């Protein structure tokens, strides 16, 4: 081992840096390339974006490109009601963040000279910011641990599937730019600690570094409120600082840094309307100010009471934890400072306490409800080692000479802690990209520390065995994560606007919306389709994915899931003009080509979403299941015979000894040895949107099999609606254009005649 150490010492540090820089450059180019693969694969189809926020960013970028960046302040309800949130209009200044739209509009004139369309540049934005984040984590790693940690951090984040999810072309979302600018903020934090370790004690320098940190935070806040999570990371780091090192000068100097952050943020972030015109400003100012309060308090305690000050600080932390527990019991207090959906993401166990609208969005799905535990190494790679970073930190703190290393690593260590918390409480899958980023850096830190400790230990003992095990596990999970992430990018599925929510290409949405353009001035549809209806079909919508108005959306839900009269009432309530208003709905179904039969088994659209529509309109599950929606259970009874039974929902199944007790909708109880299939059934006679699709399929010359014939209407007639067109489309392989058998996508457009 000594010979190996001597060999390492003989290598020229300058050569190591050159090699590290070269490999880093290669990996950064590779991280950008895999992120732009969707552009090369799908931009040939036209608008190749996801149909949610991506289309909204495209529209906003177009407006700012045409009218100038200052037009953001004119996106008021009065100027947007012609297209968004009819009749009141949408105030984009407080309902969306300006960063992505301004970035799209600002740089497009230069990129236009290379032949890029605006939709292409907007679609590439997440890939660009994803690659920039990879560069930023490399710098962060280098500041904290030199070339080795920089290299591991780059590998851990750049090619990780979780981080790739929302930092890849076509998925134009707020997470990747926020992560980039917030990483720059963490770099200033690490920079300040590095200056302390170098012996710098001039408060003015820390103040200036803080000013730069405040600027990066203001830029981060222009994209997403998730920037507050990174402020939280530095708060966690400062909270545990006295237990890592007893030195009082560091909290004092970090107080100057924190003051600089606050002043820098306020001075440069005033233009971010989504923060300063909403209650987010209280959370932002409060959390950033808390940085200085914590640092100053720690300094005063350590200055006046020395070691006893650490005990007092420990008591303060216990009091804060107790306060947090009390707040958790009365979590509605947090709604005064943060939107309910953000509170639910941080505290997912409260989801049953919020309204059905908040539960219905993607945020209600926990990460472990989407990803199996066995798939964690594939999705997070080395990120699964993040908790080990915490164990390694404890071991280093126990040795006086290791404390400075832990202090320098606080940004990464705090991310390992926060990411571990989020994954433990099964936070929202919406945060998967952010959680993956945090865990990835935590895992890289764990591997870095173990490599360094392994090389420093002379005798092979239990410590060396532990670090060898961590190194082996780290390298394996790192390789798994990189391989799976690259595979994910290469095989990235068709963006949802081109796939109608499936894994294949279909012209359903483009053709339907092109048909609606010019024929429909207004559109009634579920809020998921608001952006694509407004942007592509140029129709005025009532709601879109950011219209968090429970009263209004419940009325739309009732109109779509109620009767034709409910739709008429909606049209009158919102002044929707007859013969200019259309109703749009869609679904993907199983299909039997031989008999030209659409099977009423939904795959991706409004039939499946109607469960939440019914809940949002005010019905509870006992009113929904068994009446509107039910399930055909296929299984085996205790004698082994195959049985079929219509039950209200899978949640009504009960385990009774060695049997499964199933109760049918008519009250019959059957004991089963196994359940082999559960098929959702929909009562077309009771719900308007079911009737709209059913009638459109029939009028197009197809058969429609409801599986249970009693759910099929004998005749469908409308008094106030006229079928304009039903689109029944194939799904195709995007590479070969070959039709995918056994499935059809259906959309219908009806005209409201008054």
């Amino acid at each position: 081992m000594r010979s190996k150490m001597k060999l390492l010492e003989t290598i020229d540090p300058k050569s190591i840096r050159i090699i590290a820089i070269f490999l880093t450059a290669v990996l950064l180019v590779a991280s950008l390339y895999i992120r732009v693969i969707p552009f090369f694969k799908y931009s040939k189809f036209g608008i190749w974006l996801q149909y949610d926020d991506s289309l909204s960013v495209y529209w906003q970028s177009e407006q700012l490109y045409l009218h100038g960046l200052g037009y953001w302040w004119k996106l008021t309800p009065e100027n947007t009601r012609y297209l968004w949130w009819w009749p009141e209009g949408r105030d984009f200044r407080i309902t969306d963040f300006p960063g992505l739209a301004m970035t799209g509009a600002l740089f497009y004139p230069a990129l236009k000279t290379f032949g890029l369309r605006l939709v292409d540049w907007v679609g590439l934005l997440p890939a660009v910011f994803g690659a920039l984040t990879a560069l930023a984590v490399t710098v962060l790693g280098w500041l904290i641990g030199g070339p080795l940690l920089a290299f591991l951090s780059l590998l851990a984040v750049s090619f990780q599937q979780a981080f790739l999810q929302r930092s890849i072309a076509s998925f134009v979302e707020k997470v990747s730019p926020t992560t980039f600018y917030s990483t720059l903020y963490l770099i200033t934090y690490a920079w300040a600690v590095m200056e302390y370790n170098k012996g710098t004690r001039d408060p003015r320098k820390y103040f200036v570094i803080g000013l730069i940190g405040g600027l990066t935070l203001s830029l981060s806040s222009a994209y997403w409120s998730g920037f507050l999570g990174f402020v939280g990371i530095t708060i966690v780091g400062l909270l545990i600082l006295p237990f890592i090192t007893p030195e009082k000068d560091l909290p004092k100097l970090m107080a100057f840094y924190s003051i600089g952050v606050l002043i820098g943020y306020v001075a440069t972030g005033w233009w971010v309307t989504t923060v300063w015109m909403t209650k987010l400003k209280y959370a932002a100012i409060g959390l950033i100010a808390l940085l200085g309060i914590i640092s100053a308090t720690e300094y005063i305690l350590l200055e006046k009471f020395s070691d006893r000050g650490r005990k007092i600080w420990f008591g303060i932390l216990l009091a804060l934890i107790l306060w947090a527990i009390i707040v958790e019991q009365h979590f509605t207090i947090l709604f005064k400072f943060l939107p309910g959906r953000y509170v639910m993401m941080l505290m997912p166990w409260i989801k049953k306490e919020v309204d059905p609208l908040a539960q219905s969005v993607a945020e209600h799905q926990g990460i472990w409800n989407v990803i199996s535990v066995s798939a964690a190494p594939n999705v997070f790679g080395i990120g699964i080692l993040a908790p080990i970073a915490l164990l390694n930190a404890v071991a280093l703190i126990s040795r006086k000479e290791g404390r400075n290393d832990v202090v320098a690593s606080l940004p990464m260590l705090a991310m390992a802690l926060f990411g571990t918390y989020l994954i433990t409480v099964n936070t929202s899958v919406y945060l998967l990209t952010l959680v993956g980023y945090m865990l990835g850096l935590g895992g890289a830190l764990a591997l870095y520390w173990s490599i360094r400790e392994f090389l420093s230990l002379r005798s092979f003992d239990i410590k060396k065995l532990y670090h060898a095990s961590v190194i082996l596990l780290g390298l394996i999970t790192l390789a798994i994560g990189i391989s799976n992430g690259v595979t994910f990018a290469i095989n990235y599925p068709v963006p949802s606007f081109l796939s109608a929510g499936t894994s294949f290409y279909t012209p359903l949405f483009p053709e339907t919306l092109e048909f609606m353009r010019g024929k429909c001035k207004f559109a009634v549809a579920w809020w998921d389709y608001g952006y694509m209806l407004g942007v592509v079909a140029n129709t005025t919508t009532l709601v879109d994915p950011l219209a968090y108005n429970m009263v209004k959306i419940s009325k739309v839900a009732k109109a779509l899931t109620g009767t034709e009269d409910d739709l008429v009432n909606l049209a009158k309530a919102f002044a929707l003009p007859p013969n200019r208003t259309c109703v749009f709905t869609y679904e993907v179904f199983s299909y039997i080509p031989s008999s030209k039969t659409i099977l009423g088994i939904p795959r991706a659209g409004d039939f499946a979403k109607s469960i939440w529509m019914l809940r949002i309109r005010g019905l509870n599950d006992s009113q929904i299941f068994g009446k509107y929606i039910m399930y055909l259970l296929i299984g085996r009874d205790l004698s082994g015979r195959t049985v079929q039974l219509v039950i209200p929902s899978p949640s009504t199944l009960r385990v009774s000894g060695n049997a499964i007790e199933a109760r049918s909708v008519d009250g019959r109880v059957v004991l089963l040895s196994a359940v082999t299939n559960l098929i959702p059934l929909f009562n077309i006679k009771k719900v308007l949107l079911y009737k709209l699709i059913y009638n459109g399929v029939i009028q197009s010359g197809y058969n429609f099999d409801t599986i249970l014939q009693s759910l099929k209407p004998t005749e469908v007639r409308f008094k106030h609606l006229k079928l304009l067109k039903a689109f029944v489309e194939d799904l195709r392989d995007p590479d070969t254009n070959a039709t995918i058998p056994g499935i059809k996508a259906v959309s219908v457009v009806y005209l409201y005649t008054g």
Side-chain angles (χ1 to χ4, degrees):
M1 178 54 66
R2 289 183 180 178
S3 62
K4 291 181 179 179
M5 292 295 292
K6 288 181 179 179
L7 180 62
L8 289 173
E9 290 172 1
T10 61
I11 299 176
D12 181 14
K14 188 175 182 180
S15 300
I16 294 177
R17 283 196 295 272
I18 292 173
I19 294 172
I21 291 171
F22 173 75
L23 289 175
T24 298
V26 171
L27 289 171
L28 287 171
V29 172
S31 73
L32 176 62
Y33 175 75
I34 66 169
R35 283 173 164 78
V36 300
I37 287 175
F39 166 72
F40 296 121
K41 292 180 67 174
Y42 304 123
S43 61
K44 61 185 178 183
F45 293 113
I47 296 179
W48 55 286
L49 308 177
Q50 309 292 340
Y51 69 60
D52 43 23
D53 289 3
S54 306
L55 284 172
S56 177
V57 173
Y58 172 42
W59 180 84
Q60 293 171 42
S61 299
E62 184 179 48
Q63 300 307 304
L64 301 191
Y65 169 67
L66 294 174
H67 305 293
L69 298 185
Y71 193 67
W72 175 262
W73 283 268
K74 295 183 179 180
L75 292 177
T76 59
E78 296 78 15
N79 294 329
T80 62
R81 65 194 298 265
Y82 72 94
L83 198 60
W84 308 110
W85 295 13
W86 177 267
E88 70 273 18
R90 176 176 170 182
D91 193 338
F92 278 85
R93 300 171 303 167
I94 62 174
T95 59
D96 212 340
F97 290 82
L100 277 170
M102 288 188 174
T103 304
L106 183 63
F107 292 98
Y108 180 61
L111 294 167
K112 185 179 180 182
T113 60
F114 295 96
L116 282 179
R117 301 170 299 169
L118 179 59
V119 69
D120 295 330
W121 167 231
V122 170
L124 289 168
L125 279 174
V128 171
F129 279 112
L132 287 173
T133 303
L135 174 61
V137 300
T138 305
V139 175
L140 179 64
W142 197 296
L143 275 176
I144 293 173
L148 177 58
L149 184 55
F151 190 66
L152 292 175
S153 300
L154 174 58
L155 289 174
V157 171
S158 297
F159 305 99
Q160 181 201 66
Q161 181 182 332
F163 186 65
L164 272 165
Q165 186 208 29
R166 291 175 185 258
S167 66
I168 195 166
S170 85
F171 206 138
V172 190
E173 231 274 341
K174 308 170 180 70
V175 178
S176 62
T178 301
T179 308
F180 166 61
Y181 286 112
S182 295
T183 304
L184 295 184
Y185 162 67
L186 294 180
I187 287 172
T188 67
Y189 186 92
W191 179 12
V193 174
M194 183 187 69
E195 289 294 331
Y196 180 82
N197 288 338
K198 286 167 53 179
T200 304
R201 297 296 184 267
D202 184 356
R204 292 172 297 182
K205 187 161 189 176
Y206 291 84
F207 177 75
V208 171
I209 296 173
L211 288 176
I212 299 171
L215 169 63
T216 60
L217 266 186
S218 69
L219 291 171
S220 180
S221 72
Y223 293 87
W224 183 44
S225 57
F227 80 99
L228 294 175
F230 289 86
V231 178
I233 286 169
T234 48
I235 287 175
V236 170
L238 290 176
L239 285 173
I240 62 177
L241 190 58
F243 307 111
I244 300 174
T245 175
E247 298 181 29
K248 61 186 179 183
D249 285 344
L250 182 54
K252 172 187 173 182
L253 295 170
M254 292 308 291
F256 282 95
Y257 165 81
S258 302
I259 293 170
V261 171
L262 180 61
I263 294 175
Y265 174 75
V266 173
T268 60
W270 56 269
W271 58 277
V272 184
T273 55
T274 328
V275 174
W276 291 98
M277 292 178 66
T278 69
K279 58 187 177 183
L280 272 178
K281 62 178 175 286
Y282 303 117
I285 295 298
L287 287 175
I288 297 173
L290 192 57
L291 289 171
I293 294 171
I294 291 170
S295 300
T297 303
E298 289 173 345
Y299 168 70
I300 292 170
L301 290 175
L302 293 174
E303 170 71 17
K304 288 186 174 293
F305 303 103
S306 190
D307 285 344
R308 196 157 61 93
R310 297 171 70 186
K311 296 178 181 178
I312 295 172
W313 183 245
F314 181 71
I316 292 173
L317 285 186
L318 288 179
L320 289 174
I321 292 171
L322 179 62
W323 174 80
I325 293 173
I326 294 172
V327 169
E328 186 273 330
Q329 298 297 316
H330 302 83
F331 59 87
T332 52
I333 297 172
L334 298 175
F335 293 165
K336 296 180 180 180
F337 307 99
L338 290 170
R341 60 192 296 232
Y342 297 145
V343 177
M344 188 171 64
M345 284 189 279
L346 294 173
M347 301 162 56
W349 55 87
I350 71 168
K351 62 184 179 182
K352 293 183 180 179
E353 306 296 330
V354 297
D355 61 59
L357 179 60
Q359 294 182 40
S360 72
V361 295
E363 282 81 343
H364 80 281
Q365 297 175 315
I367 286 177
W368 298 124
N369 300 112
V370 178
I371 300 168
S372 66
V373 175
S374 61
N378 293 329
V379 177
F380 297 111
I382 197 174
I384 65 173
L385 268 64
I388 294 177
L390 307 177
L391 295 177
N392 286 351
V394 172
L396 286 169
I397 293 170
S398 66
R399 304 199 320 261
K400 187 175 181 180
E401 64 273 16
R403 291 175 181 173
N404 283 345
D405 290 334
V406 178
V407 171
S409 306
L410 275 178
M412 284 189 175
L413 190 62
M415 280 192 279
L417 179 61
F418 193 32
T420 301
Y421 161 77
L422 290 173
I423 205 73
T424 301
V425 299
N426 194 24
T427 190
S428 159
V429 71
Y430 177 78
L431 293 182
L432 180 64
T433 299
L434 188 60
V435 170
Y437 164 88
M438 292 180 177
L439 293 178
L441 289 180
L445 183 63
L447 180 56
Y448 164 73
W449 272 338
S450 283
I451 291 174
R452 203 184 61 176
E453 291 296 299
F454 179 84
L455 293 175
S456 67
L457 293 170
R458 295 186 177 181
S459 60
F460 197 90
D461 54 11
I462 189 66
K463 290 182 180 179
K464 196 153 191 172
L465 178 61
Y466 162 76
H467 289 297
S469 301
V470 173
I471 292 169
L472 179 61
L473 183 59
L475 293 176
I476 291 173
T477 54
L478 187 62
I480 291 173
I482 292 172
S483 174
N484 194 71
V486 172
T487 302
F488 168 76
I490 292 173
N491 299 299
Y492 190 72
V494 186
S496 56
F497 181 69
L498 297 171
S499 68
T502 70
S503 300
F504 307 102
Y505 167 69
T506 175
L508 182 78
F509 285 164
E511 288 187 3
T512 304
L513 298 179
E514 185 59 35
F515 173 82
M516 293 178 68
R517 178 183 285 271
K519 296 182 176 63
C520 309
K521 174 55 184 168
F522 297 83
V524 177
W526 193 229
W527 66 335
D528 289 11
Y529 315 117
Y531 288 149
M532 69 179 195
L533 286 165
V535 175
V536 185
N538 197 35
T539 61
T540 303
T541 59
L542 303 180
V543 289
D544 62 39
L546 270 182
Y548 294 111
N549 183 327
M550 180 65 179
V551 174
K552 187 175 185 181
I553 292 182
S554 66
K555 292 179 179 179
V556 175
K558 187 174 182 180
L560 292 173
T561 62
T563 65
E564 192 177 4
D565 288 340
D566 291 321
L567 179 68
V568 172
N569 292 336
L570 178 82
K572 292 179 179 178
F574 293 124
L576 297 173
N579 298 314
R580 298 178 67 204
T581 300
C582 293
V583 181
F584 164 85
T585 186
Y586 111 100
E587 183 56 79
V588 178
F589 295 103
S590 299
Y591 177 62
I592 303 175
S594 59
S595 58
K596 206 177 179 182
T597 298
I598 298 287
L599 288 176
I601 302 174
R603 298 287 192 91
D606 288 345
F607 272 55
K609 293 172 183 174
S610 64
I611 295 174
W612 284 105
M613 296 184 202
L614 291 163
R615 286 170 175 162
I616 290 170
R617 65 174 276 193
L619 301 181
N620 58 46
D621 284 4
S622 64
Q623 295 171 305
I624 297 170
F625 294 105
K627 298 172 185 175
Y628 293 88
I629 302 169
M630 55 210 74
Y631 289 78
L632 175 63
L633 181 152
I634 302 174
R636 294 190 299 273
D637 64 15
L638 298 182
S639 65
R641 292 178 301 181
T642 299
V643 295
Q644 294 187 4
L645 192 70
V646 179
I647 64 172
S649 78
S651 64
T652 61
L653 297 174
R654 299 286 183 269
V655 176
S656 179
N658 294 325
I660 301 170
E661 181 183 290
R663 185 180 297 272
S664 70
V665 292
D666 57 9
R668 185 162 56 98
V669 177
V670 177
L671 294 178
L672 305 169
S673 61
V675 175
T676 57
N677 201 2
L678 283 167
I679 301 172
L681 306 175
F682 295 81
N683 193 340
I684 294 177
K685 294 186 289 188
K686 292 184 71 70
V687 174
L688 179 62
L689 75 85
Y690 301 166
K691 292 180 183 177
L692 296 176
I693 293 178
Y694 171 83
N695 182 64
V697 168
I698 298 299
Q699 295 299 320
S700 299
Y702 291 83
N703 299 311
F704 195 107
D705 187 351
T706 57
I707 314 299
L708 196 63
Q709 293 305 306
S710 62
L711 303 178
K712 181 187 294 187
T714 55
E715 185 180 24
V716 175
R717 289 186 178 180
F718 298 113
K719 296 180 181 178
H720 309 282
L721 293 168
K722 174 186 176 183
L723 177 65
L724 292 182
K725 190 172 179 61
F727 295 81
V728 183
E729 299 282 3
D730 290 327
L731 277 74
R732 308 171 190 168
D733 184 297
D735 297 320
T736 64
N737 206 37
T739 299
I740 307 301
I743 191 168
K744 287 281 189 181
V746 179
S747 66
V748 293
V749 181
Y750 284 78
L751 184 69
Y752 168 64
T753 58

